[in-house]
Amino acid sequence: MKIFHRCAAFALGIILSGCGTSPSFLNPVSSIAEHEAKLYNNILIMALLVFVFVEICLIWILIRDRQQKADDTLPKQIYGNTKLEITWTAIPVLVTVVLFAMTVQTMKSVAAPAAAASDINLHVIGHRWWWEFDYTDLGIKTANELHIPVGATVQITLDSIDVIHSFWVPQLSGKTDVVPGQTNHMWLTANQTGEFFGQCAEFCGTEHAMMRIAVVVDSQDRFDAWVANQQKPAPQPQTGDQQAGHKLVSTLCASCHSLNPAETETKVGPNLAHLFSRSTFAGATYDLDEANLRRWLHDTQPMKPENDMNLKLTPQEIDELVAYLLLLK
Ligand code: CUA
């Protein structure tokens, strides 16, 4: 009975994990995810048909032969049946060929389109444990939150500066590994506006689970407004606290973070020029607000253990940094 309870608890855990709103390619918002969902559903239907047919045959034989056993005679013994053997070889071969053809068709549909068809070029760089987004043609660098216009083809090149990560936004694209020393390519087109979440899909260390991606799919107008704002230089400090904070960012923080939105160098930490235009930070895992920023500046390690930021700041320095960083809309 104990084993039954354990199995039931285990099964319940698996079933309940399907609840909630985790992003799934079965709710596609891009042509790639649509192709993937279609293939998945077709294979599921074929597998169900095979399962139901085999189970019906099995149950039918069990019932039939159990009845015969009641009068203590053996069921009719059969050895070899050429027709039957050809049939049960041919059908699986046919099923496999159909699966192969459907898979190749899907692979062809999701393969990268010609670079000339590209509307936006994006360079994605994987870091332990956050994502850097470099809009090559627009002179914009940002982190963790990706903005793209609806309907545009986004050509993506992917690199890593440390270990292997994997870029995956289920409703928008398949996974593409992000490998140090090797540039990979992918593309995506979103066909509706909204915010869609993704996740690093290759185990990359302690904070692998805290390496999330938010993709904001905007109308073209809203995207253009976002681009115009991101291209502006970082806002200038006004008050004394803000000026002191700016000085700290330009000295203490400058070896890891840049305040230049068009920075070409790949830094250790995210670009801060328009930090507060984002709604999350630390790998899109914490809401970006004053309270969380204070906690983070006080000590980042309890919030995201083993991340590279390890500063001992005085309460006054924290106040000054917060005063300035809040400006960076
Ligand atoms: Cu990056 Cu897992």
Side-chain angles (χ1 to χ4, degrees), residues 6 20 37 45 60-61 72 132 138 175-176 236 254 259 286 298 311 314 320 324:
R6 278 187 191 161
I45 289 167
W60 173 63
I61 288 168
D72 211 21
E132 179 166 5
L138 301 172
K175 289 174 197 169
T176 304
Q236 283 302 310
L259 273 176
Y286 285 99
H298 172 69
L311 287 178
T314 66
E320 291 164 354
Y324 178 59

Coordinates of all heavy atoms in Angstrom, one line a residue, residues 6 20 37 45 60-61 72 132 138 175-176 236 254 259 286 298 311 314 320 324:
R6 N 3.0 6.1 -2.8 CA 4.2 6.8 -3.3 C 4.0 7.1 -4.8 O 4.2 8.1 -5.3 CB 5.5 6.0 -3.1 CG 6.0 6.3 -1.7 CD 7.3 5.7 -1.5 NE 7.7 5.7 -0.1 CZ 8.6 4.9 0.5 NH1 9.2 4.1 -0.2 NH2 8.8 5.1 1.8
G20 N -1.0 25.6 -14.5 CA -0.3 26.9 -14.4 C -0.1 27.4 -15.8 O -0.6 26.9 -16.8
A37 N 4.2 22.8 -33.1 CA 3.0 22.4 -32.5 C 2.2 21.4 -33.4 O 1.7 20.4 -33.0 CB 2.1 23.6 -32.1
I45 N -1.5 12.2 -32.4 CA -2.7 11.5 -33.0 C -2.3 10.1 -33.5 O -2.9 9.1 -33.2 CB -3.3 12.4 -34.1 CG1 -4.0 13.6 -33.5 CG2 -4.4 11.6 -34.9 CD1 -4.4 14.7 -34.5
W60 N -9.0 -7.9 -26.3 CA -9.8 -8.9 -27.0 C -9.3 -10.3 -26.9 O -9.9 -11.3 -26.6 CB -10.0 -8.5 -28.5 CG -10.7 -9.5 -29.4 CD1 -12.0 -9.9 -29.2 CD2 -10.1 -10.2 -30.4 NE1 -12.3 -10.8 -30.1 CE2 -11.2 -11.1 -30.9 CE3 -8.9 -10.3 -31.1 CZ2 -11.0 -12.0 -32.0 CZ3 -8.7 -11.2 -32.1 CH2 -9.8 -12.0 -32.6
I61 N -7.9 -10.4 -27.1 CA -7.3 -11.8 -27.0 C -7.3 -12.3 -25.6 O -7.6 -13.5 -25.3 CB -5.8 -11.7 -27.5 CG1 -5.8 -11.5 -29.0 CG2 -5.1 -12.9 -27.2 CD1 -4.5 -11.2 -29.7
D72 N -10.9 -25.9 -19.9 CA -9.7 -26.6 -19.8 C -9.1 -27.1 -21.1 O -8.4 -28.1 -21.1 CB -9.9 -27.8 -18.8 CG -8.6 -28.1 -18.1 OD1 -7.8 -27.2 -18.0 OD2 -8.5 -29.2 -17.6
E132 N 22.5 39.1 -22.9 CA 22.9 40.4 -23.4 C 22.3 40.4 -24.8 O 22.4 39.5 -25.6 CB 24.4 40.5 -23.5 CG 24.8 41.9 -24.1 CD 26.3 42.2 -23.9 OE1 27.0 41.3 -23.3 OE2 26.7 43.3 -24.2
L138 N 21.1 49.0 -34.8 CA 20.4 50.1 -34.2 C 21.2 50.8 -33.1 O 20.9 51.9 -32.6 CB 19.1 49.7 -33.5 CG 18.0 49.0 -34.5 CD1 16.9 48.4 -33.7 CD2 17.5 50.1 -35.5
K175 N 14.8 25.6 -29.5 CA 16.0 25.9 -28.7 C 17.2 26.1 -29.7 O 17.3 25.3 -30.6 CB 16.3 24.8 -27.8 CG 15.5 24.6 -26.6 CD 15.8 23.3 -25.9 CE 14.7 22.9 -25.0 NZ 14.9 21.5 -24.5
T176 N 18.1 27.0 -29.4 CA 19.3 27.1 -30.1 C 20.4 27.2 -29.1 O 20.4 28.1 -28.2 CB 19.4 28.2 -31.1 OG1 18.3 28.2 -32.0 CG2 20.7 28.2 -31.9
Q236 N 21.2 62.6 -17.6 CA 22.2 63.2 -16.8 C 21.7 63.4 -15.3 O 20.6 63.7 -15.1 CB 22.5 64.6 -17.4 CG 23.4 64.6 -18.6 CD 24.7 63.9 -18.4 OE1 25.4 64.3 -17.4 NE2 25.1 62.9 -19.2
A254 N 32.2 50.8 -13.4 CA 32.5 50.9 -14.8 C 33.3 49.7 -15.4 O 33.2 49.5 -16.7 CB 33.3 52.2 -15.1
L259 N 27.6 52.6 -19.3 CA 26.4 53.6 -19.3 C 26.2 54.1 -20.7 O 25.4 55.0 -20.9 CB 26.8 54.8 -18.4 CG 26.4 54.7 -16.9 CD1 26.9 55.9 -16.2 CD2 24.9 54.5 -16.8
Y286 N 13.8 39.1 -11.0 CA 13.3 39.9 -9.9 C 12.6 41.1 -10.6 O 13.1 41.7 -11.5 CB 14.4 40.4 -9.0 CG 14.8 39.4 -8.0 CD1 16.0 38.7 -8.3 CD2 14.1 39.1 -6.9 CE1 16.5 37.7 -7.4 CE2 14.6 38.1 -6.0 CZ 15.7 37.4 -6.2 OH 16.2 36.5 -5.4
H298 N 22.7 46.1 -1.5 CA 23.2 45.8 -0.2 C 24.0 44.5 -0.2 O 25.1 44.4 0.4 CB 22.0 45.7 0.8 CG 22.4 45.1 2.2 ND1 23.1 45.9 3.0 CD2 22.1 44.0 2.8 CE1 23.3 45.2 4.1 NE2 22.7 44.0 4.0
L311 N 29.9 43.4 -4.1 CA 30.5 44.7 -3.6 C 30.1 44.9 -2.2 O 29.0 44.4 -1.7 CB 29.8 45.8 -4.4 CG 30.3 46.0 -5.9 CD1 29.5 47.2 -6.5 CD2 31.8 46.3 -5.9
T314 N 28.6 51.1 1.3 CA 28.1 51.8 2.5 C 26.6 52.2 2.3 O 26.2 52.4 1.1 CB 28.9 53.0 2.9 OG1 28.7 54.0 1.8 CG2 30.4 52.7 3.0
E320 N 23.0 56.9 -2.8 CA 23.5 57.7 -4.0 C 23.3 56.9 -5.3 O 22.8 57.4 -6.3 CB 24.9 58.1 -3.8 CG 25.1 59.1 -2.7 CD 26.6 59.2 -2.3 OE1 27.5 58.5 -2.7 OE2 26.9 60.1 -1.4
Y324 N 20.6 57.8 -8.5 CA 21.0 57.9 -9.9 C 20.4 56.9 -10.8 O 19.8 57.2 -11.8 CB 22.5 57.9 -10.1 CG 22.9 58.0 -11.5 CD1 22.5 59.1 -12.3 CD2 23.6 57.0 -12.2 CE1 22.9 59.3 -13.6 CE2 24.0 57.1 -13.5 CZ 23.6 58.2 -14.2 OH 23.9 58.4 -15.5

